[in-house]
Amino acid sequence: MNVQSRLLSPRLAVVCLALAVLFLVITAGGGRAQSSGTAGDGYLFHDSHFHLTNYIQEGTDIHDFLKIMGDKVGRVALFGIPLQQQWAYEVTGDYAPTYYLQTDAPLYYYSFTDAHIAMAYKSLTPAEQARLDPMITGFNPTDMYAADHIKRVLRTFPGVFSGIGEFTIHKEFVSSKTSGEVASLKNPALDRILDFAGEAGLVVILHNDVNMPFPKPDQDPYMVLQLKELFERHPGTTIIWAHVGLGRIVSPVQDQVGMVARALQNPNLNHVYFDISWDEVAKYLVATPESIKYSADLINRYPDRFLFGTDEVAPTEQAKYLKVYDMYAPLLAALTPEARAKVLKGNYERLFDAARKKVRAWEAANVGKPLPPPQPTPISGYK
Ligand SMILES: [Zn+2]
């Protein structure tokens, strides 16, 4: 079987993107006019998806990163990576892996990432801090206590965080090598996390592949169905679906149209957004004139639902950091001025400004007060 030609079809990927978006925007009743972006600030974009550190918790010094942003990038949603790649000597010996594809040793949840990000942020001046929206990632989404970790981080570092994520439920190669219980969209621990994110106003950046790698033709895309049900259970939570569910080798199944048609009855998904971050995603969307046109038409129709992001990990220089933006030039050129402004800046400002306000209000009401003991409180969808 010619695996490459089937898996990397840009046309299929765009069809997948189109259908996934269509089902969400149509079921949500369509995008509504919102405030437009900041046209006159001189920045090229705000970055809704950025990792300061890598899979071994090392990365760019935050002061250097501010210089890399320079006068090109206005604001950045900033996070580490919740998973640490273990260096298992019995597996790779003296070779120290820095990426999950470099060894069969497991990944494990590394909660200290949140303290690292918070302390880095706190080392900046107020003017520098105003350009960043740090995110909490260091929780295990299979743990019913994960929401309590998030609360604890807000209480320990008030005034810092705007959201949670990027965190991962299903991801090619990653999920199956993560230590402990396998993450699941059906786990009530995840509902508890999203319930609290809604209560506190935290923006959620969720990575969940749109399908499994290497699906058989006509295989039921259970992930998308579970994802839709999860989104439906949390109408009060702002959720960004990272990479529109695409990945290196994740491709849509042939029955996508039928799946989307079955999902078209849901009117309650206008709290779900899409980031088009990652060079792997850009590769699909700008592959051909046809893919560019189809993607641009969709974004132009629903300009409030997409955010630009880089998904860069610990860049060392500005040219590398701007690579994904440069890759997207043909797509950006095909957007209306209004859609371009919203995708690059306006939607970021709207979502993250709202989050800052709500999270600061939650902190003002809760920090310094005794924590109630963990309780078996009702969870959305599990009452
Ligand atoms: Zn990412």
Side-chain angles (χ1 to χ4, degrees):
M1 174 168 56
N2 186 343
V3 170
Q4 283 300 319
S5 64
R6 185 168 66 81
L7 294 175
L8 297 180
S9 162
R11 192 180 63 77
L12 274 181
V14 171
V15 168
C16 165
L17 162 72
L19 292 175
V21 170
L22 206 59
F23 116 70
L24 286 175
V25 293
I26 289 176
T27 55
R32 287 173 304 284
Q34 303 276 2
S35 65
S36 59
T38 307
D41 62 12
Y43 295 118
L44 298 175
F45 62 86
H46 302 323
D47 186 353
S48 70
H49 193 127
F50 175 74
H51 301 271
L52 188 67
T53 55
N54 63 10
Y55 277 87
I56 58 163
Q57 313 297 329
E58 292 179 355
T60 310
D61 178 274
I62 200 164
H63 301 91
D64 294 337
F65 179 58
L66 261 297
K67 288 180 201 143
I68 289 171
M69 290 168 65
D71 60 1
K72 297 287 190 282
V73 183
R75 289 169 61 178
V76 174
L78 179 90
F79 32 97
I81 288 181
L83 291 163
Q84 159 85 18
Q85 175 60 61
Q86 183 180 337
W87 178 6
Y89 196 83
E90 68 275 20
V91 178
T92 58
D94 289 332
Y95 176 73
T98 59
Y99 195 56
Y100 58 83
L101 294 178
Q102 295 173 340
T103 170
D104 290 334
L107 300 154
Y108 63 93
Y109 292 104
Y110 189 86
S111 287
F112 191 72
T113 181
D114 295 331
H116 176 77
I117 292 291
M119 294 306 286
Y121 175 84
K122 286 163 76 79
S123 74
L124 299 172
T125 67
E128 291 168 332
Q129 289 177 346
R131 297 176 64 184
L132 300 173
D133 285 287
M135 308 285 281
I136 297 166
T137 62
F139 51 87
N140 178 342
T142 70
D143 186 353
M144 290 290 281
Y145 284 131
D148 299 287
H149 169 83
I150 296 165
K151 282 181 208 176
R152 191 172 299 113
V153 174
L154 292 180
R155 293 163 66 92
T156 307
F157 298 105
V160 173
F161 291 97
S162 301
I164 62 172
E166 172 193 32
F167 70 98
T168 294
I169 303 301
H170 292 296
K171 178 172 179 176
E172 55 191 15
F173 309 118
V174 169
S175 304
S176 55
K177 64 175 282 182
T178 302
S179 291
E181 191 183 343
V182 174
S184 158
L185 294 166
K186 298 170 80 72
N187 193 325
L190 178 56
D191 287 285
R192 203 158 179 263
I193 292 166
L194 296 187
D195 277 350
F196 177 66
E199 177 195 326
L202 294 157
V203 171
V204 174
I205 301 178
L206 175 66
H207 181 123
N208 197 92
D209 293 343
V210 74
N211 200 357
M212 66 188 79
F214 310 115
K216 298 275 188 288
D218 303 321
Q219 201 161 25
D220 195 18
Y222 72 91
M223 289 182 198
V224 168
L225 297 174
Q226 291 182 8
L227 199 59
K228 179 178 76 73
E229 289 165 6
L230 176 75
F231 292 162
E232 285 171 348
R233 291 198 295 274
H234 301 280
T237 305
T238 297
I239 301 170
I240 299 172
W241 186 12
H243 324 304
V244 211
L246 297 177
R248 273 197 185 79
I249 60 167
V250 167
S251 66
V253 292
Q254 300 298 319
D255 188 36
Q256 198 104 11
V257 173
M259 181 275 296
V260 172
R262 288 193 293 278
L264 281 177
Q265 287 130 31
N266 191 324
N268 295 317
L269 290 167
N270 60 357
H271 58 297
V272 179
Y273 300 83
F274 307 84
D275 85 39
I276 57 169
S277 69
W278 202 2
D279 56 355
E280 299 287 341
V281 176
K283 176 186 75 186
Y284 290 131
L285 300 193
V286 302
T288 65
E290 185 193 25
S291 70
I292 292 166
K293 184 182 182 316
Y294 204 21
S295 306
D297 285 350
L298 268 173
I299 297 173
N300 284 334
R301 282 176 69 192
Y302 307 103
D304 298 309
R305 309 297 288 276
F306 293 88
L307 293 96
F308 175 78
T310 65
D311 199 22
E312 281 300 310
V313 178
T316 50
E317 58 188 60
Q318 192 178 64
K320 276 187 193 157
Y321 182 46
L322 300 181
K323 182 183 79 174
V324 175
Y325 175 79
D326 293 338
M327 284 176 76
Y328 269 126
L331 177 65
L332 294 170
L335 298 181
T336 66
E338 182 209 7
R340 189 162 53 240
K342 286 181 171 178
V343 170
L344 290 176
K345 294 185 208 167
N347 295 338
Y348 182 109
E349 291 171 9
R350 191 175 78 252
L351 298 189
F352 283 92
D353 285 351
R356 282 184 183 184
K357 214 168 135 195
K358 284 187 209 155
V359 179
R360 295 299 84 80
W362 185 92
E363 289 167 352
N366 290 279
V367 173
K369 305 205 172 120
L371 263 184
Q375 289 169 4
T377 48
I379 301 165
S380 297
Y382 292 87
K383 294 182 180 90

